[in-house]
């Protein structure tokens, strides 16, 4: 932009080129000859162009023309001094505008978020805290004004009933981040009596973005109210407990009654009656199996599942699982191939649980494979000929990035199918409780959760490699020696 003081002059091309030259060089220029025509028409004798040099860049220039006298050195120094002060003033205005804009943006973010946010300086003083934090802690703004983080935590502790060990963990986390020993620490506060409230806290390093290398500027304390989430989790656990414990006994009684009817205790049954009761008995058995699986999952999650660990050979266990599902494979016209290394060393494991793991994985493979396809089950002592484990349907595929690789001291079991496959984003979801994704729906969504917990209880790992339309291969490993 151009600001003129005095008679208006047209911005001739020659005049603009002079200004650009001075801005580019950053040095003043005094012209006594070859003045632009616009100045010559006003009997100008000299033109002084002084750049507006700020600390980081040249902002523009000041052009002063003289109609009577040629400026002497003091006059030129006065214009240069004015230009310097003007550049500093313009730069300060730009900086103030940028700071105010950034401050307004930060205030908008802090005011709109539901999480409580506090910025803590390196000297442990509270710099800023948003309204959500004050509301979550039940303290007014004076609690964070001109105070340290320890003073704030002490005031908050006096107004609540959180256990002392929770406060100690929070203080330790903040101290570790401020001291640079940790960059991210998280935990939770739980009220012991009165209205129950759960608060999840996170302490993380605050970094500045000045320059190329980030500089540590203290810590951020983020608080989030997770009471509703914890309450929902408690309700789910209560429902699971009710299903497992309160429904199991009456269902067992129903099954026992059906069994008595099928044996003819109350009289002979005709063919139709026997068929209907058989269907009811099968359905009740499926329901009881689901409840038993849910009970086992709860025990495994709580670490209360007793493992009957004994030295056992893995190939016979896998063969037994495949034999128990042979009729299902035959009905679907699917070939189940076994490639088992009979020389595998014995492992210390709960054979019954491992049979159920292989049954679940094989059952899923049969469920999602097309008629006439093949399912391959392998067991081998090391990664070895790994590509064979993926099977013919996936022979040309490559392993997914970041896939887990077994250690040399482990036995790996793989179950490969030629089914619909699994999208990369769904590979972790399928192992979650009741997790069902995409077209892989049906059943209870508990089978893979059970497999994961059993394998991990034995000190192993389970994962899947798959691609949509290219089939899936489920792997799990078992250590050769049970970890203590």
């Amino acid at each position: 932009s151009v600001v003129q003081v005095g008679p208006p002059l047209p911005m001739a091309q020659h005049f603009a080129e002079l200004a650009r030259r001075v801005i580019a060089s950053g040095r003043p220029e005094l012209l006594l000859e070859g003045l632009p025509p616009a100045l010559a028409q006003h009997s100008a004798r000299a033109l002084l162009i002084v750049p507006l040099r700020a600390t980081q860049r040249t902002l523009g220039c000041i052009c002063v023309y003289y109609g009577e006298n040629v400026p002497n050195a003091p006059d030129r120094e006065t214009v240069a001094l004015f230009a310097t002060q003007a550049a500093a003033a313009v730069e300060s205005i730009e900086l103030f505008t940028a700071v105010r804009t950034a401050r307004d943006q930060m205030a908008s973010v802090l005011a709109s978020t539901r999480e409580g946010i506090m910025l803590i300086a390196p000297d442990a003083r509270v710099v800023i805290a948003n309204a959500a934090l004050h509301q979550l802690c039940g303290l007014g703004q004076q609690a964070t004004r001109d105070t340290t983080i320890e003073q704030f935590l002490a005031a908050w502790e006096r107004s609540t009933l959180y256990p002392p060990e929770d406060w100690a963990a929070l203080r330790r986390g903040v101290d570790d981040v401020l001291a640079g020993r940790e960059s991210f620490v998280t935990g939770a506060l739980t009220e012991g009596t009165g209205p129950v409230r759960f608060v999840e806290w996170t302490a993380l390093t605050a970094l500045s973005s000045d320059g190329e290398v980030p500089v540590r500027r203290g810590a951020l304390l983020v608080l989030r109210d997770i009471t509703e989430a914890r309450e929902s989790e408690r309700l789910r656990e209560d429902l699971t407990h009710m299903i497992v414990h309160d429904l199991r006994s009456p269902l067992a009684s129903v099954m026992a009654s059906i069994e008595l009817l099928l044996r003819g205790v109350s009289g002979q049954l005709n063919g139709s009656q026997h068929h209907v009761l058989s269907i009811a008995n099968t359905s009740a058995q499926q329901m009881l199996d689901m409840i038993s699986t849910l009970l086992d999952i709860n025990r495994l999650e709580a670490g209360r599942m007793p493992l009957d660990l004994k030295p056992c050979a893995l190939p016979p266990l896998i063969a037994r699982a495949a034999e128990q599902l042979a009729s299902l494979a035959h009905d679907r016209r699917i070939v189940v191939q076994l490639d088992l290394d009979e020389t595998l060393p014995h492992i210390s494991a709960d054979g019954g649980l491992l049979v159920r793991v292989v049954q679940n994985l094989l059952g899923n493979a049969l469920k999602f494979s097309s008629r006439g396809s093949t399912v391959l089950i392998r067991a081998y002592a090391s990664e070895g000929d790994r590509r064979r484990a993926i099977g013919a349907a996936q022979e040309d595929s490559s392993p997914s990035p970041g896939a887990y690789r077994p250690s040399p001291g482990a036995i790996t079991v793989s179950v490969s199918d030629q089914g619909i496959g699994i999208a990369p984003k769904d590979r972790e979801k399928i192992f979650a409780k009741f997790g069902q994704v995409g077209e892989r729906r049906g059943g209870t969504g508990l089978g893979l959760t059970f497999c994961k917990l059993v394998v991990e209880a034995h000190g192993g790992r389970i994962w899947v490699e798959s691609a949509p339309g290219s089939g899936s291969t489920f792997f799990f490993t078992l250590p050769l020696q049970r970890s203590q």
Side-chain angles (χ1 to χ4, degrees), residues 175-187:
D175 290 343
D176 288 344
V177 172
L178 284 175
R181 292 186 293 268
E182 299 286 349
S183 59
F184 182 91
V185 183
T186 187

Side-chain angles (χ1 to χ4, degrees), residues 105-415:
Q105 291 175 345
M106 183 181 68
S108 177
V109 171
L110 292 178
S112 60
T113 183
R114 296 179 58 184
E115 283 76 19
I117 300 177
M118 172 184 288
L119 176 61
I120 308 168
D123 61 357
R125 299 198 67 82
V126 177
V127 178
I128 190 172
N130 65 347
L133 183 136
H134 294 109
Q135 182 178 5
L136 190 59
C137 300
L139 301 174
Q141 294 185 357
Q142 69 279 0
T144 57
R145 186 178 297 121
D146 297 329
T147 186
T148 65
I149 181 62
E150 176 54 38
Q151 292 171 337
F152 165 76
L153 293 178
W156 187 14
E157 182 176 5
R158 287 193 297 269
S159 64
T160 58
L161 299 173
Y162 295 115
E165 56 271 19
D166 288 1
W167 287 112
L170 173 55
R171 287 185 168 91
R172 187 166 55 251
V174 173
D175 290 343
D176 288 344
V177 172
L178 284 175
R181 292 186 293 268
E182 299 286 349
S183 59
F184 182 91
V185 183
T186 187
L189 302 173
T190 307
E191 292 197 21
T193 60
V196 177
R197 168 177 284 183
F198 296 87
V199 177
E200 182 182 69
W201 59 266
T202 301
L204 61 159
T205 303
L207 301 174
S208 70
S209 57
D210 298 338
E212 297 181 358
V213 180
V215 180
R216 185 185 299 272
R217 297 297 187 186
L220 277 176
L221 178 62
V222 181
L223 305 179
R224 186 165 68 96
D225 189 347
I226 57 172
T227 304
E228 293 183 2
R230 288 293 184 93
E231 181 65 18
S232 298
E233 180 63 26
R234 186 186 66 80
L235 291 176
R236 286 194 295 269
E237 291 177 355
D238 290 345
L239 177 61
T240 301
H241 185 274
M242 183 273 292
I243 292 175
V244 170
H245 295 280
D246 297 345
L247 293 185
R248 194 178 188 186
S249 295
L251 183 59
S253 299
V254 170
M255 293 183 63
S257 301
I258 294 176
E259 183 67 24
L260 291 175
L261 291 174
L262 289 172
R263 291 180 180 181
V265 173
S266 61
Q268 284 300 116
L269 303 175
N270 58 37
S272 298
Q273 292 171 335
H274 193 280
H275 178 67
V276 171
L277 286 176
S278 296
I279 294 175
N281 188 58
T282 301
S283 299
Q285 183 63 51
Q286 291 175 347
M287 187 178 299
L288 184 60
D289 291 342
M290 181 183 71
I291 292 175
S292 298
T293 300
L294 196 55
L295 177 60
D296 291 341
I297 288 176
N298 286 342
R299 289 174 176 173
L300 287 166
E301 288 178 331
R304 298 194 301 268
M305 183 70 169
L307 299 181
D308 185 16
L309 300 177
K310 296 179 180 178
C312 57
L314 194 56
L317 299 179
I318 297 174
R320 187 199 313 172
E323 183 179 354
Q324 292 175 351
L325 293 178
S327 59
L328 177 60
H330 181 268
D331 292 341
R332 295 186 58 83
R333 298 179 182 177
I334 297 175
V335 177
V336 178
Q337 293 183 354
L338 301 182
D339 182 6
L340 309 177
D341 184 357
E342 298 296 338
T343 64
L344 288 175
H346 284 51
I347 60 173
S348 177
D350 188 319
L353 290 179
L354 291 184
V355 169
R356 291 171 61 185
V357 169
V358 178
Q359 280 183 317
N360 282 329
L361 296 178
L362 179 56
N364 277 348
L366 296 175
K367 182 188 303 182
F368 297 107
S369 295
S370 58
R371 290 181 177 273
S373 60
T374 299
V375 174
L376 174 64
I377 305 178
R378 293 192 67 238
Y380 46 97
S382 62
E383 190 168 21
D385 188 9
R386 179 186 165 281
R387 294 185 61 83
R388 290 177 54 201
I390 302 179
Q394 296 175 276
E395 200 165 7
D396 295 329
S397 63
S398 59
S400 59
Y404 173 76
R405 292 292 176 267
S407 61
I411 293 178
T412 301
V413 178
S414 64
V415 180

